[in-house]
Amino acid sequence: MTKRNSKVEIELLKRILVLDGAMGTMLQQYNFSEEDFRGERFKDYPSPLKGNNDLLSITQPKAIAEVHAKYFEAGADIVETNTFSGTTIAMADYDMEDLVYELNFESAKIAKQVADEFTKANPEKPRFVAGSIGPTNKTASLSPDVNRPEYRAITFNELRIAYKQQVEALIDGGVDILLVETIFDTLNAKAALFAIEEVKEERNIDIPIMVSGTITDASGRTLSGQTVEAFLTSISHIPLLSVGFNCALGAEQLKPYLQRLSNETEFFTSAHPNAGLPNAFGEYDESPKQMQGFIEDYLKDGLINIIGGCCGTSPDHIKAIAEVAQKYKPRQIVVSC
């Protein structure tokens, strides 16, 4: 354990911090058209761009700022940048690899400006920005071809290079935390963590790192087959701010895995589950009140330091979570001096 002295670490020792909810769920409400995604700058771009949510930080920055503000107003302490797919690997789907630095930098800048406004209005409740680093759409541990189990669509080094570019841009844009999230393949995450450590060393800086894995089914394993304990062991060589789980499961289904994690780690713990499990139409039906009840079970048992929402969650969900979180003390950890 390293000495904890960043602003976010100081706040974590005092209280449970609330993470924001889903960016995609909020953006769907805008019903942006292909033209909206393109904006003036990309109106003649040769590839279809609808669905590239990260691009909206450039073409619809006001909407992104509005989403951040709504989550802060709901009680969030930390918002995630609109950069879940902000790597050259993911942006290859839109032939926009060259835009990766700008996408991450602008996304971080938007979120930081909103966070600073809220902190200035209420200095007793500082607001933070977590640079969202998604898993990419390729996996280093598994073959995408069932007939060629030895084949890999991406290498560790290719991932490291892509993540490093994203990390540099997020830091330049002003993020307070780096969040490696929705990890389904721990080897991908290790490439991201390697890249982060590289940047920290080259720049002689320190920045808090959150890591959040994904339990993909009732077996309690990640997609690449790791148990909670194996996942934790795989990433604990890095001095992390927090480790936790997000996505795939609702709050109720996630609890047993959080219990195991909480018992095994000295890092702060986090969770941002979905609003229940998806229905037949892929939609999330769990109400803010229902989710609040499941989250309160975490808090009663002292499992959590950072709590928020993933797919299907909205400012109403975050408001309900924030209301209950302030009634409980954070999970206690041993801090070295």
Side-chain angles (χ1 to χ4, degrees):
M1 292 287 289
T2 56
K3 185 177 178 182
R4 300 185 179 280
N5 54 14
S6 75
K7 289 180 181 177
V8 67
E9 288 166 329
I10 291 166
E11 290 300 312
L12 277 167
L13 292 172
K14 300 178 192 172
R15 60 195 173 94
I16 296 167
L17 294 189
V18 177
L19 193 66
D20 63 359
M23 173 64 75
T25 300
M26 294 296 289
L27 292 176
Q28 286 173 6
Q29 297 175 13
Y30 287 85
N31 290 317
F32 286 132
S33 64
E34 176 73 29
E35 289 68 32
D36 294 324
F37 273 88
R38 289 174 175 272
E40 185 62 28
R41 178 172 165 186
F42 302 103
K43 64 178 183 179
D44 298 321
Y45 206 79
S47 304
L49 299 180
K50 188 174 180 181
N52 185 356
N53 284 350
D54 293 30
L55 181 62
L56 296 172
S57 294
I58 293 175
T59 57
Q60 303 290 338
K62 286 184 179 177
I64 302 302
E66 281 174 6
V67 172
H68 291 321
K70 285 176 182 174
Y71 279 123
F72 279 138
E73 286 165 359
D77 299 290
I78 307 168
V79 296
E80 299 177 48
T81 54
N82 180 40
T83 55
F84 187 79
S85 300
T87 57
T88 49
I89 297 160
M91 280 296 140
D93 288 353
Y94 301 97
D95 299 314
M96 284 194 151
E97 296 96 321
D98 293 345
L99 277 175
V100 162
Y101 183 90
E102 184 181 358
L103 287 171
N104 284 278
F105 179 82
E106 292 300 325
S107 295
K109 199 168 85 171
I110 292 166
K112 188 62 174 172
Q113 285 172 345
V114 179
D116 286 348
E117 288 169 13
F118 276 83
T119 299
K120 188 177 179 182
N122 184 7
E124 294 300 306
K125 185 178 166 69
R127 310 302 177 99
F128 303 101
V129 174
S132 173
I133 301 170
T136 83
N137 49 7
K138 294 185 179 179
T139 168
S141 292
L142 303 169
S143 173
D145 185 346
V146 293
N147 297 312
R148 298 171 62 199
E150 79 289 352
Y151 174 69
R152 297 293 180 269
I154 193 88
T155 67
F156 183 93
N157 200 46
E158 287 169 336
L159 285 162
R160 178 191 65 82
I161 291 166
Y163 280 129
K164 188 175 181 182
Q165 184 181 15
Q166 182 177 29
V167 166
E168 288 174 332
L170 288 170
I171 291 172
D172 290 346
V175 301
D176 305 293
I177 305 160
L178 292 170
L179 168 56
V180 183
E181 66 169 316
T182 322
I183 298 162
F184 58 81
D185 182 348
T186 310
L187 193 55
N188 285 39
K190 287 171 83 74
L193 293 170
F194 190 97
I196 292 169
E197 291 301 305
E198 248 189 329
V199 174
K200 283 167 60 177
E201 187 174 341
E202 287 171 7
R203 298 189 177 199
N204 193 26
I205 60 169
D206 198 8
I207 185 168
I209 305 165
M210 295 174 64
V211 165
S212 185
T214 295
I215 299 295
T216 52
D217 57 35
S219 73
R221 294 174 182 264
T222 64
L223 186 66
S224 54
Q226 285 189 312
T227 62
V228 170
E229 294 78 9
F231 168 71
L232 181 61
T233 299
S234 296
I235 47 90
S236 290
H237 62 292
I238 299 288
L240 302 175
L241 173 72
S242 69
V243 62
F245 293 115
N246 75 289
C247 206
L249 301 176
E252 183 181 22
Q253 295 84 11
L254 192 59
K255 185 182 177 184
Y257 309 117
L258 288 173
Q259 284 176 315
R260 285 161 57 184
L261 182 75
S262 180
N263 291 337
E264 293 290 331
T265 186
E266 292 183 346
F267 299 131
F268 291 114
T269 52
S270 74
H272 50 297
N274 293 345
L277 297 173
N279 61 26
F281 303 100
E283 296 166 344
Y284 297 87
D285 299 325
E286 197 164 276
S287 71
K289 194 70 179 171
Q290 288 172 311
M291 193 170 184
Q292 183 189 55
F294 294 130
I295 296 291
E296 188 163 14
D297 286 342
Y298 298 179
L299 309 179
K300 285 176 181 175
D301 291 349
L303 301 181
I304 286 295
N305 301 102
I306 303 170
I307 186 69
C310 202
C311 302
T313 57
S314 67
D316 288 340
H317 289 85
I318 298 308
K319 184 179 180 183
I321 290 169
E323 284 172 356
V324 75
Q326 66 185 4
K327 299 176 185 176
Y328 291 87
K329 291 183 178 178
R331 168 180 166 271
Q332 296 300 300
I333 62 168
V334 177
V335 180
S336 60
C337 296

